[in-house]
Amino acid sequence: MSEDVFKKIVSHCKEYGFVFQSSEIYDGLSAVYDYGQMGVELKNNIKKYWWDSMVLLHENVVGIDSAIFMHPTIWKASGHVDAFNDPLIDNKDSKKRYRADVLIEEYMAKIDDKINKEVEKAAKRFGDSFDEAMFRQTNPRILENQAKRDEVHTRFAKALNENNLEELRQIIIDCEIVDPISGTRNWTDVRQFNLMFATEMGSTADGAMKVYLRPETAQGIFVNFLNVQKTGRMKIPFGIAQIGKAFRNEIVARQFIFRMREFEQMEMQFFVRPGEELEWFAKWKETRMKWHKALGYGDHKYRFHDHDKLAHYANAATDIEFEMPFGFKEVEGIHSRTDFDLSSHEQYSGKKLQYFDPELNKSYTPYVIETSIGVDRMFLSTMSAAYCEEELEGGESRVVLKLPAALAPIKLAVLPLIKKDGLPEKAQEIIDNLKFDFKCQYDEKDSIGKRYRRQDAIGTPYCVTVDHQSLEDNTVTIRYRDTMEQERVAIDKLADIIADKVSMKNLLKTI
Ligand code: ATP
C-alpha cells in the first residue's frame, strides 16, 4: 500500500460520512476531527468489541468512566508535568517543526527498508535454495547497512534515556537527515515541549486553578483504584477498564486521525502481585494480539515493537504495530508500569493505596500492567484493512469496504426494486421487524446496481431486495457484499442469516 491509497482512504472517509475535518466551514482546526453518521457507528462498534472483550470475557475486569478534569496534583504525581515532553526541532529554511526522535526513527526505518529490499531481491534470484539467515549474515551491503543502523540505534537509545538533547541533534546532523520540504540540513537546537493542554477552573477573581485536560485516561483509573477494589470487593489480580477522551498538544499532527490533538483511548490497568508483573505482561501481550488478529485483517499486518526507551514508570513495554498505508505504526501500547503510579499518588495525596492480600496475609502496593489502545488509530487500521478497489467483469469496478460484519456501521440495506406497487411498504415492514437487532438502511433511489455500490462503499454486509415475488411468497433476494452472490430466501429466515455473521458474540468467541 502507498501514500496514494492513503489519500483515497481519507477522501473516502469524508465522502461517505465517516470522518470530517473539525470546524470545516471555518477552514478546519488542525489535527481535530469529527466522526460522521457512518463513522460514529463504526467507532461505537470498535469500542464495544474492546469493552466486551475486557469486561465480559474477564470476570475480574470491571469498567469505570472517570472525569476528564482531575486535580492538578495528579499530573505532578504521574510525572506528566515534568516529563510528558517531546523533543522538537525546527528547520530554519522551511520553518517546519519536527519531532527529533521521529526524524531519527524514520531514518532507521529507511535503512531497514533497504536491507529488506536487498533480501527480497536475493530471495527472488535464488528461489527455493535461498538461505535468508545466511544471506543476512554474509552479504557485504547488508552488513554495512546493519552496522550503520545499529550504531545509530545505540546512540539514539542512549540519548533518549539520558535525555540528551544535544546528542539527538548531533545524530540528526551526523546522519545527514534533511528536511523533507526544504531539503536542507539547517536545523535549530532540540528543545523539550510539554504536550498537556491547560485551562482554568473557577473565576479569575477567586484565583482560578490551573487544570489540565487529561493526556491519558489511565490516571482516572489509578486514583479510583481503592474505590473500585473496596466497593467491588475485587481480589488481586483484577483489572479496571475505561474508554474516554484524551488530549495532547502534538507537535507534528499529520496523517489524518493517526495523530490527533483530541482523541479517544481504551485503557485497562491490571493490578497484580509485585513480582508477578512480567508473567502478566506476557499474558496480556498475547491476549491483546489475539484480539487484533481475530478481526481477520491479516496476521502479517501486525508486529510487536519493544521500546528502546522505557518511560519513567515502566519495567517492560511493547507496542502492537499495524501496517498502515504509510508503514508499520503503533496502534496499542502494553506497559508494565510497576507500582510507580500508585506509590506516587500515595506520596502526593498522603492517602494509603494499598491492598490487603488475604492469601499472603499482608498489604502491598500492587504492580500494574497497562494495555492502552487508541480508538482512532484502531479506526484507521480498520479502514486501511477494509478499503478495497476491485475490477469486475465487463470492465466495471467497485470500491468496497470489507469490514468485519460485526463492526460494519449498517448491517443490512433493504431495497425495493421499484418505488411503487407496495414494494416500499413491504421493505419498510422488513425493517420494522429487524431494526431492534440490526442497524438497517432503506434506499429506493437510483438503479439497484447503484444502490449496491453505495452499500459496498460503506461496508454493508447484506443487501436485501424486495420485488414483486416478495409480495406473493414472502421471499427476497439477499446479496452478500464480498462475493456479490445473491440468493432467494424467506423473509422470516433473514434475522438468523444476518445474526450469525454480524454477531459480536461470534467475533468475541474467536479471540
Ligand atoms: P506515539 O509514540 O505515537 O506518540 P505514544 O507512545 O505516546 O504514541 P501512548 O501514550 O502509549 O502513545 O498512548 C496509547 C495509545 O493511544 C497509542 O497506542 C495510540 O493508539 C493512542 N494515541 C496516543 N497519542 C495519540 C494521538 N495523538 N492521536 C491518536 N491516538 C493517539
Side-chain angles (χ1 to χ4, degrees):
M1 258 209 265
S2 64
E3 290 286 337
D4 191 32
V5 177
F6 180 50
K7 277 195 194 128
K8 287 186 186 171
I9 293 170
V10 175
S11 55
H12 193 86
C13 279
K14 175 163 185 216
E15 191 179 344
Y16 289 93
F18 283 88
V19 183
F20 305 124
Q21 171 74 62
S22 155
S23 322
E24 197 185 351
I25 58 170
Y26 290 95
D27 295 333
L29 185 64
S30 162
V32 187
Y33 290 89
D34 298 335
Y35 286 82
Q37 68 281 11
M38 290 302 143
V40 70
E41 296 289 345
L42 174 55
K43 198 178 181 210
N44 283 342
N45 292 338
I46 290 173
K47 289 195 268 186
K48 184 167 169 49
Y49 176 46
W50 183 86
W51 186 262
D52 288 356
S53 77
M54 286 294 174
V55 305
L56 290 188
L57 302 194
H58 299 96
E59 279 165 55
N60 59 353
V61 176
V62 292
I64 61 162
D65 184 16
S66 70
I68 287 171
F69 288 134
M70 290 191 266
H71 195 286
T73 310
I74 287 175
W75 304 112
K76 204 58 200 157
S78 69
H80 283 80
V81 171
D82 297 320
F84 194 51
N85 302 318
D86 274 344
L88 65 85
I89 188 165
D90 294 285
N91 182 276
K92 291 182 198 161
D93 299 317
S94 70
K95 308 266 184 287
K96 289 276 173 208
R97 181 160 287 181
Y98 300 89
R99 265 173 64 176
D101 54 335
V102 171
L103 286 178
I104 299 169
E105 274 169 5
E106 284 174 355
Y107 172 82
M108 291 192 293
K110 270 193 202 139
I111 303 183
D112 287 338
D113 274 356
K114 257 193 212 158
I115 295 176
N116 290 337
K117 282 211 180 98
E118 201 79 50
V119 172
E120 267 169 42
K121 248 183 13 207
K124 265 198 203 131
R125 209 168 49 235
F126 294 111
D128 288 344
S129 61
F130 183 56
D131 179 345
E132 183 178 328
M134 177 66 99
F135 185 74
R136 281 182 186 271
Q137 280 161 23
T138 50
N139 180 281
R141 262 199 306 271
I142 290 191
L143 289 176
E144 193 187 316
N145 275 321
Q146 192 62 48
K148 194 158 88 185
R149 188 205 188 277
D150 290 346
E151 191 207 320
V152 175
H153 183 256
T154 313
R155 282 179 69 187
F156 177 56
K158 188 161 180 279
L160 283 180
N161 276 321
E162 292 170 356
N163 227 342
N164 186 344
L165 302 182
E166 271 158 39
E167 171 68 355
L168 280 181
R169 181 172 190 275
Q170 200 53 50
I171 297 173
I172 291 173
I173 304 288
D174 293 349
C175 293
E176 303 185 346
I177 296 175
V178 297
D179 176 356
I181 292 168
S182 65
T184 70
R185 286 182 249 149
N186 198 2
W187 298 109
T188 62
D189 286 342
V190 176
R191 281 169 296 143
Q192 289 290 23
F193 177 79
N194 193 287
L195 300 182
M196 281 199 293
F197 283 103
T199 186
E200 288 184 348
M201 187 174 265
S203 75
T204 22
D206 310 338
M209 175 159 73
K210 182 174 176 185
V211 290
Y212 298 100
L213 299 188
R214 66 180 178 197
E216 63 175 26
T217 61
Q219 297 305 323
I221 295 179
F222 291 125
V223 296
N224 278 299
F225 158 70
L226 262 197
N227 283 337
V228 174
Q229 190 274 317
K230 290 223 160 101
T231 57
R233 291 173 290 114
M234 307 303 291
K235 284 206 183 75
I236 274 186
F238 75 92
I240 305 178
Q242 161 154 250
I243 300 180
K245 288 274 174 126
F247 305 82
R248 295 182 188 178
N249 196 4
E250 297 280 359
I251 302 168
V252 187
R254 264 193 254 121
Q255 290 163 325
F256 193 40
I257 54 172
F258 181 79
R259 194 173 294 289
M260 301 155 92
R261 297 205 164 102
E262 172 179 341
F263 59 100
E264 208 164 353
Q265 288 185 315
M266 307 189 277
E267 298 199 295
M268 196 278 302
Q269 311 294 324
F270 198 73
F271 301 91
V272 303
R273 281 184 186 157
E276 294 183 0
E277 71 276 8
L278 292 179
E279 215 177 290
W280 283 107
F281 175 73
K283 274 196 191 141
W284 278 108
K285 254 178 91 167
E286 192 195 337
T287 309
R288 292 303 305 145
M289 189 56 112
K290 274 196 194 154
W291 181 90
H292 284 277
K293 290 186 174 171
L295 289 166
Y297 299 163
D299 290 3
H300 62 284
K301 293 207 163 130
Y302 298 92
R303 69 180 188 198
F304 285 115
H305 172 247
D306 296 331
H307 283 203
D308 290 326
K309 180 200 179 188
L310 290 176
H312 53 279
Y313 48 75
N315 71 357
T318 194
D319 295 335
I320 293 180
E321 294 188 337
F322 180 79
E323 193 178 14
M324 299 278 184
F326 40 86
F328 273 94
K329 296 284 169 191
E330 170 182 346
V331 174
E332 171 157 4
I334 301 164
H335 311 119
S336 172
R337 285 178 88 128
T338 67
D339 61 351
F340 171 82
D341 302 85
L342 289 180
S343 301
S344 188
H345 287 307
E346 276 196 319
Q347 210 182 329
Y348 276 83
S349 68
K351 307 269 167 21
K352 270 224 165 321
L353 290 177
Q354 296 214 333
Y355 170 78
F356 177 76
D357 193 324
E359 282 170 39
L360 301 182
N361 198 23
K362 68 171 193 188
S363 293
Y364 53 79
T365 308
Y367 271 46
V368 174
I369 305 303
E370 160 181 87
T371 72
S372 172
I373 168 169
V375 180
D376 313 275
R377 286 195 190 171
M378 193 56 211
F379 188 102
L380 185 56
S381 40
T382 298
M383 284 307 251
S384 310
Y387 183 88
C388 183
E389 291 173 12
E390 277 182 358
E391 296 302 325
L392 306 176
E393 280 166 26
E396 269 194 84
S397 66
R398 68 165 183 164
V399 172
V400 51
L401 282 189
K402 295 195 169 171
L403 295 169
L407 300 188
I410 307 287
K411 305 303 184 199
L412 86 152
V414 184
L415 320 168
L417 192 62
I418 53 171
K419 267 192 266 186
K420 52 183 188 184
D421 301 340
L423 300 188
E425 290 77 8
K426 188 77 183 167
Q428 199 56 55
E429 191 185 306
I430 295 175
I431 290 182
D432 287 342
N433 275 326
L434 296 178
K435 70 182 175 193
F436 299 95
D437 290 316
F438 315 113
K439 177 89 184 141
C440 307
Q441 195 174 73
Y442 175 83
D443 190 3
E444 59 175 26
K445 198 170 173 291
D446 300 322
S447 72
I448 201 79
K450 271 200 185 149
R451 283 183 267 169
Y452 284 157
R453 291 288 169 277
R454 274 203 291 271
Q455 296 301 329
D456 287 344
I458 57 172
T460 306
Y462 300 102
C463 286
V464 162
T465 305
V466 177
D467 55 20
H468 290 93
Q469 193 185 329
S470 310
L471 301 178
E472 286 161 23
D473 64 1
N474 269 323
T475 62
V476 285
T477 46
I478 184 164
R479 172 192 181 267
Y480 303 99
R481 178 194 68 198
D482 297 347
T483 59
M484 294 189 292
E485 271 166 22
Q486 302 186 17
E487 58 179 329
R488 191 119 206 136
V489 298
I491 291 176
D492 58 13
K493 289 269 165 358
L494 280 177
D496 285 346
I497 297 175
I498 295 162
D500 180 49
K501 282 273 161 33
V502 308
S503 124
M504 191 62 83
K505 179 172 152 189
N506 289 349
L507 175 58
L508 289 165
K509 277 185 176 170
T510 63
I511 296 178

